[in-house]
């Protein structure tokens, strides 16, 4: 069956309903947003390391917000706010999950396209619209939203509290509302597609772990994103229509506000009911991608396939009942705090299972160090190093003294920021041949990987010590406290590593765009993988397979099966007579 | 400037690498040589991770907080030490295995991996052991959590209110009756910056201050309020923190055990202050006569730890712990609300 019908430039490249094109649109938008987000981090890292120094980049980009080398404190807060928002939502949610769910779900389950191509297109264009809005908020007269990416009211609700809480915050909220709509449409589409459109023989227990991770991620998204939407709507009401959901007893700018009876704690509950699952929305697809890549490049089955699925389900379930650990010091009932400590620390168990299973997968393997494999192993390393400090933050007692310090910044950047970005890079290197029919340059990939990993640890490892020394996050300079003077050197080290790491991403950008046009032509199955996507032709066709969709006979991880001569057995190869299924 | 040096080095290394990489002819799939090089680099990287942990531990230890200045903080530090033990053990073992295996099993030609799909025994072990360790940590932690949050209030704690506002702190002592007068933002007017209700007799003996003085050895019950946005009252040296939430009163209690004078003689603080003053002296050499930095002496701090707008970075208050007699004298010298 072939789906050749006339396509104009607009239906093929812009308002496309083909999942492969939509995935590329997500990826390129995500990369552009990522460049903006990383550039912002460079700007505020320069400020925090050399607070009274004039940098050309900041002078040029910030204009009136940085004059004579003095950065406006509000623009510093705005930079960290928008950096967080862009990286968490636009890069690591839409850019990562949007790209690879769209690319891989139909290809790996054996479907012609998503269940609804039209909704899929709508999902991308809503994401695009929200990206444009978020970026446009940078050009608001009084500056963009500056209340932190968690936008706690009253700071975010009252314009007198922060200049960013005027038009900047309005655009932020509208952008996020559209973003949530986009995510929900996308997630529903992924769930329906995985449940209904699997090819013959593709049982749930034969799905690659990538699909399991996208499927579970989509479910978490459907459960938690609507709650953020409600939080945002109530905030819009408080800001614009005089309601008091989050506001009470406020004296600001010389006058008492009329609001009475609300509580900002309500917002925190609603926000973190999404906010915590959100970190799993970010990291689970990265873990799924790395599972697939580590198995393929170890030429070995993923160790404990079923345990990997169970641990992802366990993480997904627990993720919805731990949000209170972000609020241990809000004055919440201490008993509730202890319940959240219990549920939070339980997450360490499935996470430990995953980490040990990765290590067992490479044990006695024949490791092929393609750039994708290196980034996947880098993910395991940062996931462990960043994850274990969760034992401190997840424990209500220990959280008291590190809450909102740089210790938190170090923890979540390693465990969900850097790890998820590594997962995204791994996915790009691995599936670039599938997306563009070209190979990415491996030498540049190696340089990109090694500089990035050295720099990433150099940035985030010392940062733990800043937090343990008592340094709060979101200070635009630390010179107001002589007590912190001895931390200035650590901050300089961190900034230098950050700049090196940032520059290394230029290698990636060059490699990505150069390879699209000038890369070597890809073969059909360059990594000798078992999964279904490599049975489609290199040149994209509408409907994915030229003839019938192949039937699936085995799981995705028959690597180095002793009953077969080759060290990989694609899922479409029938079982040998007498061969036992896994 | 160091940034320019980095940019120049990046250019000098980067361009030849890119030119070499795009002109190279071989396939873009890892070869035996790539596997070998990257396998060795993985081993080196494992050593880099270990090195970073050890070097940071040795060289940054001096910037960390000194011994706890509060009673519950001693238990806090003990729990933290045990948890750090677990963390370092896990990191050392897993990073070691990960990077060593990556090196040991780097791809070679003509070899096939060993087909191992799962092992129930192993998976039981690494589900069971973390569960046990976590159970111990949770129980240990919850005991201290209860000690902190359900203190013995019969011991007549000293009641102090801390009031956060953009971007400073106010403090209020409950006075002779040890009961804080009613308050609301709607009463804020002129000198009554904390919004105390003038008609409430309990408020007349309240004492408003711009410094917090604490008597050594007496339990203090802090009540926190905020005038405008969320703030967080963070006393790092006492292992204490609580958010200030507009519209509600939160609380935290601790017993200070080390006076400011005693802490200034603590070897860790002595070394830290010396280090800080050396840094400040070096800075002073570059500064003009009018901008000279004062020499630093140690004081306990109350700082804001919840993003609260423009001057969030500079919202501080001095905390002084002294002997009970000195404290009583200080408090008696302050004016009460009624006499202001």
């Amino acid at each position: 069956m072939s789906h050749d019908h006339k396509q104009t430039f607009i239906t093929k490249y812009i308002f496309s309903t083909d999942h492969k094109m939509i995935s590329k649109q997500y990826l390129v938008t995500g990369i552009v947003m990522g460049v903006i987000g990383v550039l912002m981090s460079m700007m505020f890292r320069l400020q925090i390391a050399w607070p009274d120094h004039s940098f050309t980049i900041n002078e040029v980009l910030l204009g009136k917000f940085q004059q004579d080398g003095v950065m406006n404190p509000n623009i510093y807060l705005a930079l960290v706010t928008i950096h967080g928002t862009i990286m968490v939502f636009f890069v690591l949610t839409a850019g990562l999950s949007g790209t690879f769910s769209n690319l891989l779900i139909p290809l790996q389950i054996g479907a012609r396209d998503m269940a609804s191509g039209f909704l899929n297109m709508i999902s991308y264009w809503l994401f695009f619209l929200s990206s444009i809005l978020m970026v446009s908020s940078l050009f608001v007269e009084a500056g963009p939203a500056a209340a932190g990416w968690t936008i706690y009211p009253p700071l975010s609700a009252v314009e007198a509290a922060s200049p960013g809480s005027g038009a900047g915050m309005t655009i932020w909220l509208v952008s996020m509302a559209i973003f949530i709509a986009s995510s929900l449409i996308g997630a529903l589409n992924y769930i329906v597609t995985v449940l209904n459109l699997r090819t013959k023989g593709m049982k749930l227990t034969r799905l690659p772990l990538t699909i399991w991770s996208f499927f579970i991620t989509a479910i978490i998204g459907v459960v938690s994103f609507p709650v953020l939407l409600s939080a945002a709507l109530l905030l819009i009401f408080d800001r614009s229509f005089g309601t008091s959901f989050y506001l009470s007893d406020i004296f600001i700018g010389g006058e008492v506000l009329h609001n009475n009876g609300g509580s900002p704690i309500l917002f925190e509950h609603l926000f973190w009911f999404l906010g915590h699952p959100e970190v799993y929305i970010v990291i689970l697809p990265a873990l799924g991608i790395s599972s697939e890549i580590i198995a393929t490049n170890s030429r070995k089955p993923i160790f404990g396939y079923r345990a990997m699925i169970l641990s992802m389900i366990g993480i997904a379930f627990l993720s919805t009942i731990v949000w209170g650990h972000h609020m241990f010091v809000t004055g919440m009932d201490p008993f509730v705090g202890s319940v959240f400590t219990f549920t939070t620390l339980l997450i360490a168990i499935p996470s430990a299972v995953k980490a040990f299973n990765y290590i067992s997968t490479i044990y006695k393997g024949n490791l092929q160090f393609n750039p994708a494999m290196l980034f996947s192993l880098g993910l395991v390393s940062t996931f462990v190093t960043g994850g274990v400090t969760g034992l401190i933050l997840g424990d209500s007692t220990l959280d008291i003294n590190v809450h909102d310090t740089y210790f938190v910044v170090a923890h979540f950047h390693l465990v969900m920021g850097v790890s998820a970005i590594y997962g995204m890079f791994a996915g790009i290197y691995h599936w670039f041949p599938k997306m563009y029919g070209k190979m990415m340059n491996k030498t540049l990939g190696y340089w990109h990987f090694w500089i990035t990993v050295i720099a990433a640890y150099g940035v985030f490892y010392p940062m733990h010590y800043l937090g343990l020394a008592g340094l709060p996050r979101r200070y635009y300079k630390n010179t107001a406290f002589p007590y912190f003077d001895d931390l200035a050197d650590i901050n300089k080290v961190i900034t230098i590593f950050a700049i090196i790491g940032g520059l290394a991403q230029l290698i990636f950008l060059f490699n990505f765009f150069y390879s699209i046009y000038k890369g070597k032509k890809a073969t059909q199955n360059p990594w000798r993988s078992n999964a279904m996507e490599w049975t489609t032709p290199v040149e994209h066709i509408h409907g994915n397979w030229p003839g019938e969709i192949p039937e699936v006979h085995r799981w995705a991880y028959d690597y180095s099966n002793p009953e077969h001569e080759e060290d990989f057995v694609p899922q479409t190869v029938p079982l040998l007579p007498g061969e036992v299924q896994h | 400037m160091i940034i320019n040096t980095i940019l120049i080095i990046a250019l000098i290394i980067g361009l030849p690498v890119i030119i070499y990489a795009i002109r190279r002819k071989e396939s873009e799939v890892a070869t035996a040589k790539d596997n070998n090089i990257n396998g060795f680099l993985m081993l080196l990287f494992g050593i880099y991770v270990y090195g970073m942990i050890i070097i940071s531990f040795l060289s940054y230890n001096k910037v960390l907080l000194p011994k706890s200045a509060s009673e519950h903080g001693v238990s806090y530090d003990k729990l933290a030490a045990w948890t750090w033990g677990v963390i370092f053990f896990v990191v050392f073992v897993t990073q070691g295995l990960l990077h060593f295996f990556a090196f040991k099993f780097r791809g070679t030609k003509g070899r096939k991996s060993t087909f191992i799909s799962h092992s129930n025994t192993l998976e039981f072990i690494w589900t069971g052991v973390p569960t046990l360790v976590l159970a111990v940590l949770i129980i240990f932690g919850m005991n201290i959590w209860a000690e902190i949050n359900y203190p013995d209030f019969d011991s007549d704690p000293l009641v102090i209110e801390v009031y956060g506002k953009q971007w400073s702190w106010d403090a209020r002592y409950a006075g002779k009756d040890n009961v804080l007068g009613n308050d609301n933002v709607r009463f804020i007017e002129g000198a009554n910056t904390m919004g105390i209700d003038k008609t409430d007799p309990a408020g007349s003996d309240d004492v408003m201050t711009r410094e917090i003085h604490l008597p050594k050895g007496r339990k203090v019950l802090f009540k926190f309020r905020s005038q405008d946005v969320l703030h967080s009252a963070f006393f790092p040296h006492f292992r204490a923190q609580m958010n200030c939430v507009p519209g509600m009163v939160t609380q935290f209690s601790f017993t200070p055990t080390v006076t400011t004078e005693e802490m200034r003689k603590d070897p860790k603080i002595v070394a830290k202050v010396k280090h800080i003053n050396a840094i400040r002296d070096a800075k002073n050499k570059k500064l003009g006569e009018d901008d000279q930095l004062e020499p630093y002496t140690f004081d306990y701090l109350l700082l804001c730890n919840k993003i609260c707008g423009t001057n969030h970075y500079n919202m501080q208050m001095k905390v002084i712990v002294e002997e009970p007699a000195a404290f009583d004298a200080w408090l008696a010298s302050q004016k009460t609300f009624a006499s202001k």
Side-chain angles (χ1 to χ4, degrees):
Chain A
M1 180 167 74
S2 105
H3 282 249
D4 286 329
H5 45 81
K6 276 255 155 66
Q7 285 188 319
T8 62
F9 178 82
I10 288 183
T11 57
K12 187 167 180 202
Y13 294 103
I14 300 178
F15 294 108
S16 168
T17 57
D18 185 306
H19 71 100
K20 302 183 289 295
M21 181 55 68
I22 292 174
S23 118
K24 288 194 258 185
Q25 292 173 326
Y26 264 109
L27 180 57
V28 173
T29 317
I31 288 177
V32 171
M33 293 303 274
V35 169
I36 298 172
V38 171
L39 193 63
M40 287 180 164
S41 70
M42 299 297 132
M43 290 158 71
F44 61 71
R45 273 315 315 178
L46 285 174
Q47 160 67 19
I48 204 73
W50 290 280
D52 298 317
H53 197 277
S54 164
F55 292 99
T56 322
I57 172 176
N58 287 355
E59 300 273 335
V60 170
L61 291 176
L62 295 178
K64 69 173 178 187
F65 293 112
Q66 164 133 355
Q67 276 167 356
D68 308 320
V70 181
M71 187 186 270
N72 180 324
N74 291 311
I75 204 69
Y76 178 87
L77 297 177
L79 285 173
V80 296
T81 302
I82 305 295
H83 164 79
T85 311
I86 285 183
M87 296 310 280
V88 170
F89 294 109
F90 293 82
V91 180
L92 293 176
T93 303
L96 171 60
S97 184
T99 303
F100 293 105
S101 300
N102 271 306
L103 178 72
L104 295 177
I105 288 178
L107 286 173
Q108 288 196 332
I109 67 171
R112 299 265 177 219
D113 204 320
M114 282 289 180
S116 169
F118 179 72
L119 281 184
N120 210 16
M121 177 188 84
I122 299 283
S123 164
Y124 170 73
W125 283 102
L126 286 179
F127 163 57
F128 184 79
L129 180 63
S130 74
S131 306
I132 295 288
L133 278 172
M134 188 56 76
V135 173
S136 70
S137 82
L138 302 176
F139 301 96
V140 168
E141 171 91 47
W149 79 280
T150 54
I151 58 153
Y152 285 171
L155 187 61
S156 61
V158 183
E159 196 172 346
S162 156
S165 296
M169 182 57 71
T170 306
I171 300 179
W172 194 100
L173 286 166
V174 172
S175 165
M176 279 312 297
I178 297 172
F179 180 90
I180 293 166
S182 152
S183 289
L184 285 174
I185 295 172
L188 287 170
N189 217 348
Y190 306 151
I191 294 172
V192 172
T193 309
V194 172
L195 287 178
N196 292 310
L197 296 185
R198 279 168 288 133
T199 183
K200 198 170 172 221
M202 184 60 95
K203 296 189 288 189
L204 285 175
T205 47
R206 283 176 179 168
L207 286 174
L209 288 171
T210 36
I211 302 301
W212 268 106
S213 73
F214 300 146
F215 179 57
I216 294 169
T217 302
I219 295 174
I220 307 178
V222 170
V223 170
S224 56
F225 261 119
V227 181
L228 179 64
L229 184 61
S230 64
L233 285 178
L234 297 186
L235 186 53
I236 290 173
F237 270 66
D238 273 7
R239 288 166 50 80
S240 306
F241 308 125
T243 55
S244 302
F245 291 107
Y246 306 133
L247 307 176
S248 186
D249 296 323
I250 293 166
F251 178 96
I252 200 161
E255 59 180 48
V256 179
L257 302 188
H258 72 274
N259 306 79
N260 214 345
S263 171
I265 306 297
L266 170 65
F267 178 86
E268 294 187 27
H269 279 294
L270 293 174
F271 180 87
W272 287 114
F273 190 83
L274 161 90
H276 197 80
E278 170 64 24
V279 308
Y280 293 98
I281 291 174
V282 164
I283 193 65
L284 281 181
L287 292 174
I289 286 168
S290 63
S291 303
E292 172 73 14
I293 291 171
I294 288 179
T296 307
N297 287 292
S298 301
R299 317 306 297 159
K300 258 191 79 191
I302 190 79
F303 187 90
Y305 172 75
R306 277 160 203 256
M308 289 297 237
I309 298 172
L310 282 176
S311 56
M312 278 196 280
I313 294 174
I315 288 174
F317 172 71
L318 289 172
S319 79
T320 58
I321 51 169
V322 298
W323 76 92
H325 67 224
H326 297 271
M327 301 166 60
F328 285 143
V329 296
T330 54
M332 192 167 68
D333 186 315
F335 175 73
V336 181
S338 54
V339 173
F340 279 120
T341 301
F342 178 70
T343 53
T344 301
L345 293 192
L346 282 187
I347 291 197
I349 300 168
S351 308
V353 169
K354 287 195 87 72
F356 288 125
N357 282 359
Y358 283 125
I359 293 172
S360 317
T361 303
I362 63 171
Y363 175 71
K364 293 202 172 173
N366 189 25
L367 310 188
Q368 304 301 309
F369 287 121
N370 291 303
M373 174 65 164
L374 291 172
F375 272 108
S376 300
L377 294 175
L379 178 156
V380 178
S381 175
T382 50
F383 185 66
V384 171
T385 311
V388 283
T389 49
L391 291 181
I392 304 252
L393 291 158
D395 189 322
S396 52
T397 312
L398 295 178
D399 181 62
I400 292 171
N401 225 45
V402 285
H403 188 93
D404 261 329
T405 65
Y406 269 92
F407 192 81
V408 182
V409 182
H411 162 78
F412 74 73
H413 272 95
L414 276 181
V415 75
M416 51 100 49
V418 174
S419 297
I421 278 282
Y422 285 0
M424 188 163 168
F425 283 135
I428 294 171
Y429 282 105
H430 192 77
W431 283 291
F432 193 86
K434 194 77 260 166
M435 297 179 105
Y436 293 98
K438 301 281 176 61
M439 303 293 284
M440 279 181 86
N441 191 301
K442 69 175 176 191
T443 311
L444 294 180
Y446 293 143
W447 280 84
H448 173 218
F449 172 76
W450 286 112
I451 301 175
T452 303
V453 287
I454 288 172
Y457 264 122
V459 170
F460 296 113
Y461 194 78
M463 202 180 273
H464 291 95
Y465 284 86
L466 297 179
L468 292 172
L471 185 67
R473 65 196 283 207
R474 293 166 174 159
Y475 275 14
Y476 112 105
K477 57 183 181 183
N478 303 320
T479 45
F481 291 88
Y483 183 76
F484 295 135
D485 274 1
D486 57 349
L487 303 180
D489 285 345
I490 305 183
N491 263 323
K492 283 176 193 154
V493 170
I494 292 173
T495 299
I496 290 168
F497 273 116
I499 290 166
I500 295 172
L503 288 173
Q505 307 320 307
L506 295 176
I507 305 177
F508 167 78
L509 289 178
F510 172 80
N511 194 358
F512 183 84
F513 291 105
Y514 180 84
S515 300
I516 291 179
Y517 298 102
K518 297 277 179 87
K520 296 200 176 83
K521 217 173 150 4
T523 55
Q524 197 187 11
N525 189 358
W527 319 117
R528 307 192 314 140
S529 163
N530 289 341
M532 290 272 287
E533 73 271 26
W534 305 104
T535 60
T536 61
V538 177
E539 294 290 332
H540 286 180
I541 55 168
H542 204 60
N544 296 338
W545 284 270
E548 287 292 303
I549 301 176
E551 193 181 327
V552 164
H553 299 279
R554 56 180 73 240
W555 70 329
Y557 298 106
D558 259 336
Y559 290 104
S560 301
N561 188 333
E563 295 178 53
H564 292 260
E565 183 122 352
E566 281 281 349
D567 69 352
F568 70 113
V569 191
Q571 286 190 278
T572 48
V573 173
L575 292 178
L576 298 173
E579 188 184 352
V580 194
Q581 279 198 64
H582 287 276
Chain B
M1 192 69 191
I2 186 154
I3 307 299
N4 296 335
T5 325
I6 296 173
L7 291 176
I8 292 165
I9 294 175
L11 213 60
I12 294 172
I13 301 178
L15 283 181
V17 166
I18 289 178
I19 292 166
Y20 162 77
I22 60 179
R23 298 181 64 139
R24 179 181 47 68
K25 287 275 179 287
E26 76 185 38
S27 120
E28 301 297 354
V29 180
T31 60
K33 191 175 140 216
D34 294 324
N35 289 337
N36 212 16
I37 295 174
N38 285 291
F40 272 102
L41 287 174
M42 269 288 167
L43 188 67
L44 283 180
F45 186 68
I47 295 169
Y48 170 77
V49 174
Y50 275 7
M52 184 145 239
I53 293 173
I54 294 166
I55 291 171
S56 305
F57 188 79
L58 295 177
S59 62
Y60 294 153
N61 186 39
K62 62 173 189 263
V63 304
L64 299 186
L65 290 169
K67 67 174 185 191
S68 168
S70 69
E71 206 173 83
H72 76 270
V74 177
S75 318
Y76 176 101
D77 287 350
K78 203 184 283 172
L79 175 64
W82 278 95
T83 311
W84 275 113
V86 173
I87 289 173
F88 277 120
F89 177 78
V90 172
V91 168
F92 268 89
V93 170
T94 46
Q95 299 290 355
L97 289 177
L98 177 73
H99 293 99
F100 178 70
F101 285 170
F103 161 72
K104 177 96 197 289
F105 301 110
R106 65 194 184 278
T108 48
K109 266 221 171 93
R111 184 162 62 85
K112 226 173 154 180
S113 302
T114 313
F115 186 85
I116 314 169
S117 67
H118 65 287
S119 153
N120 289 344
T121 326
L122 275 177
E123 286 172 73
F124 267 120
I125 292 174
W126 60 57
T127 314
V129 173
T131 310
L132 278 178
V133 174
L134 285 171
V136 172
L137 285 181
I138 291 174
I139 293 167
F140 192 178
M142 283 309 100
N143 276 320
I144 302 169
W145 180 243
E147 177 190 328
I148 296 170
N149 284 290
Y150 301 106
D152 169 20
F153 286 121
D154 301 336
S155 60
D156 186 29
L158 174 70
V159 176
I160 304 175
E161 181 182 71
V162 171
Y163 194 45
K165 58 176 130 177
Q166 285 184 331
W167 294 279
S168 63
W169 299 100
D170 279 338
R172 171 161 66 128
Y173 288 75
K176 285 209 176 67
D177 58 358
N178 212 17
V179 177
L180 290 165
N182 283 338
D183 50 60
N184 190 286
V185 286
R186 286 161 184 85
F187 298 125
I188 293 176
E189 197 183 7
N192 186 6
T193 51
M194 296 177 78
I196 302 168
D197 182 356
K198 282 178 186 158
T199 59
D200 182 7
S204 60
D205 64 343
D206 288 3
V207 174
M208 287 154 65
T209 64
R210 304 306 305 267
E211 272 183 359
I212 296 177
H213 285 239
L214 303 173
K216 177 184 170 179
R218 179 164 173 203
K219 188 168 274 299
V220 184
L221 176 61
F222 284 97
K223 299 277 182 184
F224 300 99
R225 285 195 302 133
S226 165
Q227 186 184 86
D228 35 44
V229 301
L230 288 170
H231 299 282
S232 188
F234 183 31
F235 305 84
H237 301 98
F238 301 95
R239 319 291 187 254
Q241 176 167 207
M242 184 50 69
N243 287 0
C244 307
V245 184
M248 80 188 234
V249 180
T250 54
Q251 64 176 34
F252 196 102
S253 97
F254 64 80
T255 309
T257 52
V258 184
T259 64
T260 302
E261 284 306 321
E262 286 164 348
M263 191 55 103
R264 282 178 183 161
K265 290 181 193 123
D266 180 79
K268 191 153 183 175
I269 286 296
V270 170
K272 189 175 171 99
V273 169
K274 206 172 148 197
H275 183 197
I276 289 172
N277 277 325
I279 294 170
R280 290 171 85 80
D281 284 346
K283 266 193 202 161
N284 276 340
K285 284 189 187 128
K286 289 184 205 152
L287 293 173
E289 242 170 64
D290 301 336
D291 307 329
Q292 290 290 303
L293 303 168
E294 301 269 321
Y296 171 68
T297 43
F298 172 82
D299 266 305
Y300 293 123
L301 288 173
L302 161 63
L303 33 80
C304 181
N305 200 13
K306 182 63 78 190
I307 182 171
C308 64
T310 315
N311 292 332
H312 171 52
Y313 72 99
N314 190 12
M315 187 169 155
Q316 48 182 313
M317 192 179 229
K318 200 196 250 186
V319 179
I320 294 161
V321 180
E322 51 202 359
E323 295 298 338
F327 168 78
D328 291 340
W330 172 80
L331 192 57
S333 74
Q334 303 293 311
K335 278 190 179 153
T336 60
F337 180 61
S339 65
K340 260 192 183 171

